[in-house]
Amino acid sequence: MKDKIHGGDVYRHKNALDFSANMNPLGTPEAVIRAAAESLREIHNYPDIRMEALRQGLSAYEQVPEDYLVCGNGAAEVIFMLALALRPRRALLPAPTFAEYEQALRLAGTEISYFELKEEEGFRVTERILEAITPGTEFLMLCNPNNPTGTLIEPELMGRILERCRRTDTFLAVDECFQDFIEEPERYTLKAALKDHEKLFLLKAFTKRYAMAGIRLGYGICSDLRLLEAMRDCVQPWNVSIPAQAAGAAALREEAYVEKAREIVRTEREFLRKRLGELGFQVYDSRANYLFFKGPEGLTEKALSRGILIRDCGNYRGLGPGYYRAAVKTHEENLKLLEALA
């Protein structure tokens, strides 16, 4: 099997402190672990194919109708479900961005064009993208804040992008998985636009918010119910396991935990940004729970020799050697990162 290069490879680096995957710095809530463990008593049964408890919890949490929700085995599966259900002929992706968007669209037979995020613009999505969205663009996928850069599309520009997509009949999908860690997330989400825009899809996940990467649970929100049914037809039945459903339902009750993590990330992100700059790295304007920065080639291997895993971003389309991403963790852990990089 050809390996897909991602962060979080703790299995090959068991003694390293992992900054390459961007999880909640507080770790998985104990209530979530208990719920997943206790659910194992039911594994002689098939999972609930309707996911009623999970979807009811999500509906209350996101303040959207249950019918607007589709769940998957991680956000990655939801991306593939969406691409296979739509099978757009032509799509537009920013570069760099999360690699799974391209992988899913290629599997669906889509011709892909790229909107280059320029270094001189801080790797931000700018109003230049409006001209790139043409009547021939059937699908546009954006990540807000973007992965790996962490840059945010401001609400005014996102509104113009949404309107441009409406005029060109372009389906707009927005990955909002990292909005849990930004300040004022309610200003940046497009949930309020869902009812009036059937060709709008929002991607979310439990992975980062609750440090649940190993349980695999993601979801999408859309008002096009026929599309959601077509997406469910693209995967096997029972694609979300009993432990994943139980863990997800329990996680949605951890409101104070999410707020505490957001505050830690806000404080520690600025601490790391300042200290990385003092060490001579060029740090970009990430607003997520990770920092994107530029440094000398070979930094990943040098950090690993000191017991620290960071994400080498050289394999992202539009980037090359010398670009890196590091998660924001607790203060004590962040000091270890800085010590190793120094």
Side-chain angles (χ1 to χ4, degrees):
M1 182 182 74
K2 182 180 178 181
D3 288 339
K4 304 296 183 185
I5 302 174
H6 287 285
D9 189 8
V10 296
Y11 303 99
R12 257 62 56 186
H13 310 290
K14 294 184 182 296
N15 297 318
L17 183 56
D18 186 17
F19 283 83
S20 67
N22 314 306
M23 303 300 153
N24 189 311
L26 295 175
T28 314
E30 285 298 322
V32 173
I33 296 172
R34 286 196 303 271
E38 291 169 4
S39 75
L40 295 178
R41 299 180 186 277
E42 302 298 324
I43 60 172
H44 59 281
N45 296 317
Y46 283 105
D48 179 4
I49 200 165
R50 297 182 181 178
M51 308 180 213
E52 283 187 347
L54 176 60
R55 292 173 71 245
Q56 287 170 7
L58 277 172
S59 175
Y61 181 88
E62 296 286 3
Q63 294 294 290
V64 298
E66 281 186 51
D67 288 349
Y68 281 23
L69 295 163
V70 62
C71 298
N73 187 358
E77 182 177 67
V78 180
I79 294 166
F80 279 79
M81 292 165 67
L82 179 62
L84 291 172
L86 286 174
R87 292 191 180 274
R89 289 173 296 177
R90 288 179 290 276
L92 178 66
L93 294 177
T97 197
F98 190 51
E100 266 69 4
Y101 310 148
E102 179 176 342
Q103 292 173 10
L105 289 166
R106 295 230 178 265
L107 182 64
T110 304
E111 178 186 327
I112 303 171
S113 299
Y114 301 94
F115 175 76
E116 180 188 0
L117 304 182
K118 296 185 177 181
E119 184 170 12
E120 58 267 29
E121 295 175 336
F123 291 105
R124 292 182 177 88
V125 172
T126 67
E127 62 181 10
R128 290 189 298 107
I129 198 171
L130 298 173
E131 296 181 2
I133 305 169
T134 67
T137 307
E138 296 184 8
F139 182 85
L140 167 63
M141 183 95 201
L142 297 173
C143 189
N144 196 35
N146 191 32
N147 181 3
T149 62
T151 53
L152 268 171
I153 304 172
E154 292 299 324
E156 188 274 337
L157 177 56
M158 186 61 88
R160 294 173 66 190
I161 292 171
L162 182 60
E163 175 60 19
R164 178 65 178 165
C165 288
R166 186 190 66 78
R167 291 182 179 181
T168 57
D169 199 29
T170 301
F171 191 101
L172 174 61
V174 183
D175 184 339
E176 295 187 348
C177 285
F178 289 106
Q179 289 196 8
D180 301 294
F181 301 103
I182 67 174
E183 297 175 54
E184 300 182 288
E186 65 280 355
R187 287 191 61 235
Y188 291 89
T189 181
L190 285 178
K191 281 191 294 185
L194 285 165
K195 183 178 180 181
D196 297 323
H197 294 81
E198 279 198 339
K199 290 194 171 186
L200 173 64
F201 185 94
L202 304 183
L203 180 69
K204 304 274 239 168
F206 289 74
T207 304
K208 318 298 184 183
R209 188 195 305 157
Y210 303 107
M212 287 170 50
I215 205 80
R216 308 310 301 138
L217 184 58
Y219 58 101
I221 316 175
C222 183
S223 62
D224 186 343
L225 306 189
R226 288 173 297 180
L227 171 62
L228 298 184
E229 192 58 37
M231 289 176 63
R232 295 184 188 101
D233 289 341
C234 291
V235 292
Q236 61 164 332
W238 311 293
N239 62 318
V240 179
S241 69
I242 286 175
Q245 292 187 39
L252 292 168
R253 297 189 284 270
E254 297 289 326
E255 295 182 12
Y257 158 92
V258 174
E259 288 298 327
K260 182 178 180 181
R262 186 178 293 131
E263 179 59 27
I264 290 173
V265 166
R266 184 189 68 81
T267 302
E268 290 299 314
R269 181 179 59 227
E270 297 316 306
F271 167 73
L272 271 181
R273 190 193 311 278
K274 180 181 178 182
R275 293 292 299 275
L276 286 171
E278 291 172 351
L279 288 174
F281 297 106
Q282 183 176 348
V283 187
Y284 297 90
D285 186 28
S286 173
R287 310 276 283 280
N289 63 327
Y290 48 87
L291 287 174
F292 177 64
F293 62 98
K294 191 174 184 180
E297 293 185 28
L299 188 64
T300 306
E301 293 76 16
K302 292 177 181 178
L304 186 57
S305 72
R306 290 160 175 80
I308 298 291
L309 264 177
I310 61 173
R311 176 66 157 94
D312 189 326
C313 296
N315 68 320
Y316 278 85
R317 183 181 292 275
L319 296 178
Y323 291 96
Y324 306 95
R325 190 193 67 200
V328 176
K329 299 174 82 68
T330 65
H331 189 69
E332 293 74 16
E333 290 170 319
N334 291 336
L335 288 174
K336 293 178 181 179
L337 169 68
L338 292 168
E339 181 182 1
L341 294 183

